[in-house]
Amino acid sequence: MVISSSNNYAKSNLEVVKIDTNNKIDSQRFTQNGQIQIYQSPYRGSYSSIIRDSLRNAALGRKVLIVQFMKGGVEQGIANPVKLCGNLTWVRSSHSFDQYNNEEIESNKNLKKSIHESTYELWKFCKNELLSGENEQIILDEIFLAIEMGIINKDDLISTLENRFIPGDVILTGTDIPKDLLLMANQITELRS
């Protein structure tokens, strides 16, 4: 099921989006942004279609960034991203962990701290990328779980999305999506089994 809403505003209604018409950079910045797409699913690991589409976009020449917030195990981090198709950058946490073993994470304070620090490091990287205009598509995989775990602040994500500068789409995935973010989305896709 796909639920769509439009957040496009007429240029005559710039007061709504608080853009100063005298400042051409801000007005240009707003008109160049792509859509915010949210993919939600009742279970984790159901976003293979997004990964497939990002590979296709990269092969077609678009610069794509995939950040998997709650995937560990490969110890890559920002310093060791995986590059695919020449245009796709794939980043996971710098810390190796089993995201499905909540008991181990909760019982080990050092592990929990390390996961929080490496995930927050990914978020700082993503904020810079969302504001830089360097990528044509950015995928923030399982960012809502990072919000739920208290690693990323929901209002910080909202503010960053409002000020983003990216010619293409920002795709967010997760299970429990805050209502504020659902209201920002241009497209919401609910994946069902």
Side-chain angles (χ1 to χ4, degrees), residues 153-192:
N153 179 285
K154 175 187 72 166
D155 294 332
D156 191 17
L157 173 60
I158 289 170
S159 174
T160 303
L161 290 173
E162 287 173 340
N163 293 300
R164 74 192 185 281
F165 184 56
I166 173 173
D169 299 335
V170 177
I171 298 172
L172 306 121
T173 73
T175 53
D176 295 319
I177 301 163
K179 185 177 180 179
D180 306 20
L181 286 152
L182 288 171
L183 293 173
M184 288 183 74
N186 298 96
Q187 176 181 318
I188 300 167
T189 303
E190 184 177 348
L191 302 173
R192 299 179 183 170

Coordinates of all heavy atoms in Angstrom, one line a residue, residues 153-192:
N153 N 18.4 12.2 18.0 CA 17.3 13.1 18.4 C 16.3 13.3 17.2 O 16.8 13.7 16.2 CB 17.8 14.4 18.9 CG 16.7 15.3 19.4 OD1 16.0 15.9 18.6 ND2 16.6 15.4 20.7
K154 N 15.1 13.0 17.4 CA 14.1 13.2 16.4 C 14.0 14.6 15.8 O 13.9 14.8 14.6 CB 12.7 12.7 16.9 CG 11.6 13.0 15.9 CD 10.2 12.7 16.6 CE 9.9 13.8 17.5 NZ 8.5 13.9 18.0
D155 N 14.1 15.6 16.7 CA 14.0 17.0 16.3 C 15.2 17.4 15.5 O 15.1 18.2 14.6 CB 13.8 17.9 17.5 CG 12.5 17.7 18.2 OD1 11.5 17.3 17.5 OD2 12.4 17.9 19.4
D156 N 16.4 16.8 15.8 CA 17.6 17.0 15.0 C 17.4 16.5 13.6 O 17.8 17.1 12.6 CB 18.8 16.4 15.7 CG 20.1 16.8 15.1 OD1 20.2 17.8 14.4 OD2 21.1 16.1 15.4
L157 N 16.8 15.3 13.5 CA 16.6 14.7 12.1 C 15.6 15.6 11.4 O 15.8 15.9 10.2 CB 16.0 13.3 12.3 CG 15.5 12.7 11.0 CD1 16.7 12.6 9.9 CD2 14.9 11.3 11.2
I158 N 14.5 16.0 12.0 CA 13.5 16.9 11.3 C 14.2 18.2 10.9 O 14.0 18.6 9.7 CB 12.3 17.2 12.3 CG1 11.5 15.9 12.5 CG2 11.4 18.3 11.8 CD1 10.4 16.0 13.5
S159 N 14.9 18.8 11.7 CA 15.6 20.1 11.4 C 16.5 19.9 10.2 O 16.6 20.7 9.2 CB 16.3 20.6 12.6 OG 17.1 21.7 12.2
T160 N 17.3 18.8 10.2 CA 18.2 18.5 9.1 C 17.5 18.3 7.8 O 17.9 18.7 6.8 CB 19.1 17.3 9.5 OG1 19.8 17.6 10.7 CG2 20.1 17.0 8.4
L161 N 16.4 17.5 7.9 CA 15.6 17.3 6.7 C 15.0 18.6 6.1 O 14.9 18.7 4.9 CB 14.5 16.2 6.9 CG 15.0 14.8 7.2 CD1 13.8 13.9 7.6 CD2 15.7 14.2 5.9
E162 N 14.6 19.4 7.0 CA 14.0 20.7 6.5 C 15.0 21.6 5.9 O 14.7 22.4 5.0 CB 13.4 21.5 7.7 CG 12.1 20.9 8.2 CD 11.6 21.5 9.5 OE1 12.4 22.2 10.2 OE2 10.4 21.3 9.8
N163 N 16.3 21.5 6.3 CA 17.4 22.3 5.7 C 18.2 21.6 4.7 O 19.3 22.1 4.3 CB 18.2 22.8 6.9 CG 17.5 23.8 7.7 OD1 17.0 24.8 7.2 ND2 17.3 23.5 9.0
R164 N 17.8 20.4 4.3 CA 18.6 19.6 3.4 C 18.8 20.3 2.1 O 18.0 21.1 1.7 CB 18.0 18.2 3.2 CG 16.8 18.2 2.3 CD 16.0 16.9 2.3 NE 14.9 16.9 1.4 CZ 13.7 17.5 1.6 NH1 13.5 18.2 2.7 NH2 12.8 17.5 0.7
F165 N 19.9 19.9 1.4 CA 20.2 20.4 0.0 C 20.6 19.2 -0.8 O 21.8 18.8 -0.8 CB 21.3 21.4 0.1 CG 21.5 22.1 -1.2 CD1 20.5 22.7 -2.0 CD2 22.8 22.1 -1.8 CE1 20.7 23.2 -3.2 CE2 23.0 22.6 -3.0 CZ 22.0 23.2 -3.7
I166 N 19.7 18.6 -1.4 CA 20.0 17.3 -2.2 C 19.0 17.4 -3.4 O 17.8 17.5 -3.2 CB 19.8 16.1 -1.3 CG1 19.9 14.8 -2.2 CG2 18.6 16.1 -0.5 CD1 20.0 13.5 -1.4
P167 N 19.5 17.2 -4.6 CA 18.7 17.3 -5.8 C 17.7 16.1 -5.9 O 16.7 16.2 -6.6 CB 19.7 17.3 -7.0 CG 20.9 16.7 -6.4 CD 21.0 17.0 -5.0
G168 N 18.1 15.0 -5.3 CA 17.2 13.8 -5.4 C 16.5 13.5 -4.1 O 16.3 14.4 -3.2
D169 N 16.1 12.3 -3.9 CA 15.3 11.9 -2.8 C 16.1 11.4 -1.6 O 17.2 10.9 -1.7 CB 14.4 10.7 -3.2 CG 13.4 11.1 -4.3 OD1 13.2 12.3 -4.5 OD2 13.0 10.2 -5.1
V170 N 15.5 11.6 -0.4 CA 16.0 11.1 0.8 C 15.0 10.0 1.2 O 13.8 10.2 1.3 CB 16.1 12.1 2.0 CG1 16.5 11.5 3.3 CG2 17.0 13.3 1.6
I171 N 15.5 8.8 1.4 CA 14.7 7.6 1.8 C 15.0 7.2 3.2 O 16.2 7.0 3.6 CB 14.9 6.5 0.8 CG1 14.6 6.9 -0.6 CG2 14.2 5.2 1.3 CD1 14.9 5.9 -1.7
L172 N 14.0 7.1 4.0 CA 14.1 6.7 5.4 C 13.4 5.4 5.6 O 12.3 5.3 5.1 CB 13.6 7.8 6.4 CG 14.1 9.2 6.1 CD1 13.0 10.2 5.8 CD2 14.9 9.7 7.3
T173 N 14.0 4.5 6.4 CA 13.3 3.2 6.6 C 13.2 2.9 8.1 O 14.0 3.4 8.9 CB 14.1 2.0 5.9 OG1 15.3 1.8 6.6 CG2 14.4 2.3 4.4
G174 N 12.3 2.1 8.4 CA 12.1 1.7 9.8 C 10.8 1.1 10.1 O 9.9 0.9 9.2
T175 N 10.6 0.7 11.4 CA 9.4 0.1 11.8 C 8.5 1.1 12.6 O 7.4 1.3 12.2 CB 9.7 -1.1 12.7 OG1 10.6 -0.8 13.8 CG2 10.4 -2.2 11.9
D176 N 9.0 1.7 13.6 CA 8.1 2.6 14.4 C 8.5 4.0 14.0 O 9.5 4.6 14.5 CB 8.4 2.4 15.9 CG 7.9 1.0 16.4 OD1 6.8 0.6 15.9 OD2 8.6 0.4 17.2
I177 N 7.7 4.7 13.2 CA 8.0 6.0 12.7 C 7.3 7.1 13.4 O 6.0 7.0 13.5 CB 7.7 6.0 11.1 CG1 8.5 4.9 10.5 CG2 8.0 7.4 10.6 CD1 8.0 4.5 9.1
P178 N 8.0 8.1 13.9 CA 7.3 9.1 14.6 C 6.3 9.9 13.7 O 6.6 10.1 12.5 CB 8.4 10.1 15.1 CG 9.6 9.2 15.1 CD 9.4 8.2 14.0
K179 N 5.2 10.3 14.2 CA 4.2 11.0 13.5 C 4.7 12.2 12.8 O 4.3 12.5 11.6 CB 3.0 11.3 14.4 CG 1.8 11.9 13.6 CD 0.6 12.1 14.5 CE -0.5 12.7 13.7 NZ -1.7 13.0 14.6
D180 N 5.5 13.0 13.5 CA 6.1 14.2 12.9 C 6.8 14.0 11.6 O 6.7 14.7 10.7 CB 7.1 14.9 13.8 CG 6.6 15.1 15.3 OD1 5.6 14.5 15.6 OD2 7.2 15.9 15.9
L181 N 7.5 12.8 11.5 CA 8.2 12.5 10.3 C 7.3 12.0 9.2 O 7.5 12.3 8.0 CB 9.3 11.5 10.6 CG 10.5 12.2 11.3 CD1 11.2 11.2 12.2 CD2 11.4 12.8 10.3
L182 N 6.2 11.3 9.6 CA 5.2 10.8 8.6 C 4.6 12.0 7.9 O 4.3 12.0 6.7 CB 4.2 10.0 9.3 CG 4.6 8.6 9.7 CD1 3.5 7.9 10.5 CD2 4.9 7.7 8.5
L183 N 4.4 13.1 8.7 CA 3.7 14.3 8.2 C 4.6 15.1 7.2 O 4.2 15.8 6.3 CB 3.3 15.2 9.3 CG 2.1 14.7 10.2 CD1 1.9 15.6 11.4 CD2 0.9 14.5 9.4
M184 N 6.0 14.9 7.3 CA 6.9 15.5 6.4 C 7.0 14.8 5.1 O 7.5 15.4 4.1 CB 8.3 15.6 7.1 CG 8.5 16.5 8.2 SD 10.2 16.4 8.8 CE 11.0 17.3 7.5
A185 N 6.7 13.6 5.0 CA 7.0 12.7 3.9 C 6.1 13.1 2.7 O 5.0 13.5 2.8 CB 6.7 11.3 4.2
N186 N 6.8 13.0 1.5 CA 6.1 13.2 0.2 C 5.5 11.9 -0.2 O 4.5 11.8 -0.9 CB 7.0 13.6 -0.9 CG 7.6 15.0 -0.6 OD1 8.8 15.0 0.0 ND2 6.9 16.0 -0.8
Q187 N 6.1 10.8 0.3 CA 5.6 9.4 -0.1 C 5.8 8.5 1.1 O 6.9 8.5 1.7 CB 6.3 8.9 -1.3 CG 5.9 7.5 -1.7 CD 6.7 7.0 -2.9 OE1 6.8 7.7 -3.8 NE2 7.1 5.7 -2.8
I188 N 4.8 7.7 1.4 CA 5.0 6.7 2.5 C 4.6 5.4 1.9 O 3.5 5.2 1.3 CB 4.0 7.0 3.7 CG1 4.4 8.4 4.3 CG2 4.1 5.9 4.7 CD1 3.3 8.9 5.2
T189 N 5.5 4.4 2.0 CA 5.2 3.1 1.5 C 5.3 2.1 2.6 O 6.2 2.1 3.4 CB 6.3 2.7 0.4 OG1 6.3 3.7 -0.6 CG2 6.0 1.3 -0.2
E190 N 4.2 1.4 2.8 CA 4.1 0.4 3.8 C 4.3 -1.0 3.2 O 3.6 -1.4 2.3 CB 2.8 0.4 4.5 CG 2.6 -0.6 5.7 CD 1.3 -0.5 6.4 OE1 0.6 0.5 6.2 OE2 1.0 -1.4 7.2
L191 N 5.4 -1.7 3.6 CA 5.7 -3.0 3.0 C 5.1 -4.0 3.9 O 5.2 -4.0 5.1 CB 7.2 -3.2 3.0 CG 8.0 -2.1 2.2 CD1 9.5 -2.3 2.3 CD2 7.6 -2.2 0.7
R192 N 4.4 -5.0 3.3 CA 3.7 -6.0 4.0 C 4.2 -7.4 3.5 O 4.5 -7.5 2.3 CB 2.2 -5.9 3.9 CG 1.6 -4.7 4.4 CD 0.1 -4.6 4.2 NE -0.4 -3.3 4.7 CZ -1.6 -2.9 4.5 NH1 -2.4 -3.7 3.8 NH2 -2.0 -1.8 5.0

